Amino acid sequence: MTTIDGDEQSDGITIACYMNEVPLFVEAELVRLYDMLYSSMPFFKAFRSTEQLSSYVAWRNNHPIAIFVFQFRDGKIDVLNEMIEIDQVEIDRFAHTLFAKVPAADIISFKALKTDRRRFSFPSQRCYASDTYVIALPATSKAYTAALGKSTRTAIKYQMNKVARDHPSFTSRFYADEDIDEQHIRDILKLSEARISSKAFNFSHDEKRIINLVKMCGLVNVLFIDGRLCAGSINYRIGSSYFGAVIGQDFAYEKYGLGKLTVYLTICESIDRHGKNFYLGGGPFDYKGRMLGVQQVMDRLDIYRSYGKLMLNFGSAAKTVMVGYVRRLNVWLHKHEHKSGARFVLNSYYLWKNLRKKDS
């Protein structure tokens, strides 16, 4: 059942809640507002449950200024939008509206967002969720290359020349939309899994969901030597932003640094395709800074109807804090993965994740 409520507020904002419905206009407006893969309908369809999705829209002068897609179950409103910056006013407006319209809701949960640190109108808790590195792309790939550090430019040029000299058949190709070959995706995923697992992690990608998302908004870079895939990257585009997702490279060509080359080539291709931002993903990898990525830290935010509801959900609140500490520990472990103790913990962590994936 769908209900639509249009409430005019004193500041000229009109609020509409679409319960158990996501209107068709929402997909395009999410792109316009946030330009973010993890707040887009393609990502929700591929990686999130789309059962009983509802949506909230704040309008000003007939234009949406905030949109949140959410699910309500078991007393909790889970907001699907992630990796976006929302100011406190919009979060407060959303919380006031949803707590008023959904009396059974005790908690509103944002999994990963950036917001100012002033106090909210309701009891809340915040903890570290994730991070990402973003490059503000210049107008041309030439300008981007010139902005790189001298040592980075020299290394890229050396590696490009070396692989081309040793393997004259070396080529780089980009595929989008119907030109994407599913086998290329599978091959890149296998190369990526082999590299990660070589560090003692029993790791596997979610192939089915990645392929589904690539079909909706993918850009795949494939590096060939003698007609055979030797490296590549799986990326996505939403609006004017590009998102690096998976990098794979054959161990046989280790000395050429093909993983770094595919990142560089994909960034340049994104600029040529008029991209404004390139997201390198999270994780403490030095190359992201060298490629001009700037870190953005995201928090999990849980908002409670009252302090009484917070105490009644103390177990959930404690779990949120614990998950935040585990995620920070995971970042630290990756920074020190060469140490035997860190490798053991990371191996156990990825084994646990893979077991959960199989059960879900």
Side-chain angles (χ1 to χ4, degrees), residues 56 68-80 90-102 104-111 113 122-125 300-306 309 313 316 320:
Y56 160 99
F68 300 123
V69 178
F70 62 92
Q71 291 173 316
F72 171 67
R73 52 192 170 196
D74 300 327
K76 186 178 183 182
I77 292 170
D78 283 306
V79 180
L80 272 64
E90 291 301 335
I91 294 174
D92 270 347
R93 194 188 339 261
F94 175 68
H96 277 287
T97 301
L98 268 293
F99 281 142
K101 295 188 180 301
V102 188
D106 296 337
I107 309 170
I108 297 173
S109 182
F110 292 85
K111 291 182 174 62
L113 85 164
F122 297 91
S124 64
Q125 64 175 155
R300 174 176 179 137
L301 176 66
D302 286 345
I303 302 173
Y304 296 85
R305 181 182 291 274
S306 65
K309 295 299 183 181
N313 291 276
S316 175
T320 295

Side-chain angles (χ1 to χ4, degrees), residues 269-281:
E269 180 71 14
S270 301
I271 295 171
D272 294 341
R273 291 172 180 255
H274 309 293
K276 301 300 182 184
N277 298 289
F278 191 94
Y279 289 83
L280 295 162

Side-chain angles (χ1 to χ4, degrees), residues 76-261:
K76 186 178 183 182
I77 292 170
D78 283 306
V79 180
L80 272 64
N81 305 57
E82 296 183 33
M83 307 301 286
I84 57 177
E85 184 170 0
I86 304 293
D87 64 39
Q88 180 187 343
V89 172
E90 291 301 335
I91 294 174
D92 270 347
R93 194 188 339 261
F94 175 68
H96 277 287
T97 301
L98 268 293
F99 281 142
K101 295 188 180 301
V102 188
D106 296 337
I107 309 170
I108 297 173
S109 182
F110 292 85
K111 291 182 174 62
L113 85 164
K114 183 178 180 181
T115 188
D116 47 33
R117 295 186 174 272
R118 292 176 294 169
R119 295 185 62 182
F120 295 97
S121 299
F122 297 91
S124 64
Q125 64 175 155
R126 183 201 307 260
C127 66
Y128 171 80
S130 60
D131 69 333
T132 188
Y133 286 76
V134 60
I135 304 168
L137 299 177
T140 65
S141 54
K142 184 178 180 180
Y144 171 72
T145 303
L148 296 171
K150 182 178 179 180
S151 61
T152 301
R153 290 199 310 271
T154 301
I156 290 172
K157 184 177 180 180
Y158 171 79
Q159 290 169 324
M160 289 286 287
N161 289 338
K162 183 172 178 58
V163 68
R165 183 174 60 251
D166 293 352
H167 301 279
S169 65
F170 172 77
T171 56
S172 168
R173 296 176 185 168
F174 286 88
Y175 302 91
D177 304 323
E178 66 275 1
D179 294 330
I180 294 174
D181 186 336
E182 284 190 21
Q183 191 56 49
H184 288 162
I185 300 173
R186 294 188 180 95
D187 290 343
I188 293 170
L189 292 176
K190 287 178 182 177
L191 290 175
S192 172
E193 290 169 355
R195 177 165 295 274
I196 296 174
S197 296
S198 71
K199 300 177 181 180
F201 315 146
N202 182 18
F203 180 82
S204 64
H205 290 288
D206 195 329
E207 180 182 289
K208 181 179 179 181
R209 288 179 174 174
I210 289 173
I211 289 176
N212 287 341
L213 186 55
V214 169
K215 287 180 177 179
M216 289 185 275
C217 58
L219 176 68
V220 178
N221 178 218
V222 183
L223 306 185
F224 296 98
I225 291 178
D226 296 332
R228 187 173 68 87
L229 186 152
C230 59
S233 65
I234 298 169
N235 314 274
Y236 309 107
R237 178 177 183 172
I238 292 294
S240 62
S241 294
Y242 285 83
F243 303 81
V246 181
I247 301 169
Q249 57 180 322
D250 193 324
F251 283 108
Y253 303 98
E254 181 80 17
K255 64 181 179 181
Y256 300 112
L258 297 183
K260 303 295 194 305
L261 288 184

Side-chain angles (χ1 to χ4, degrees), residues 263-302:
V263 173
Y264 169 74
L265 292 169
T266 303
I267 292 170
C268 291
E269 180 71 14
S270 301
I271 295 171
D272 294 341
R273 291 172 180 255
H274 309 293
K276 301 300 182 184
N277 298 289
F278 191 94
Y279 289 83
L280 295 162
F285 299 100
D286 292 340
Y287 81 89
K288 294 180 179 180
R290 292 196 296 270
M291 301 305 287
L292 306 185
V294 177
Q295 186 185 37
Q296 292 184 345
V297 176
M298 299 288 162
D299 291 334
R300 174 176 179 137
L301 176 66
D302 286 345

Side-chain angles (χ1 to χ4, degrees), residues 1-3 17-21 53-55 70 72 98 102:
M1 179 179 179
T2 300
T3 61
C17 284
Y18 304 84
M19 302 305 296
N20 298 322
E21 182 189 7
L53 283 186
S54 300
S55 49
F70 62 92
F72 171 67
L98 268 293
V102 188

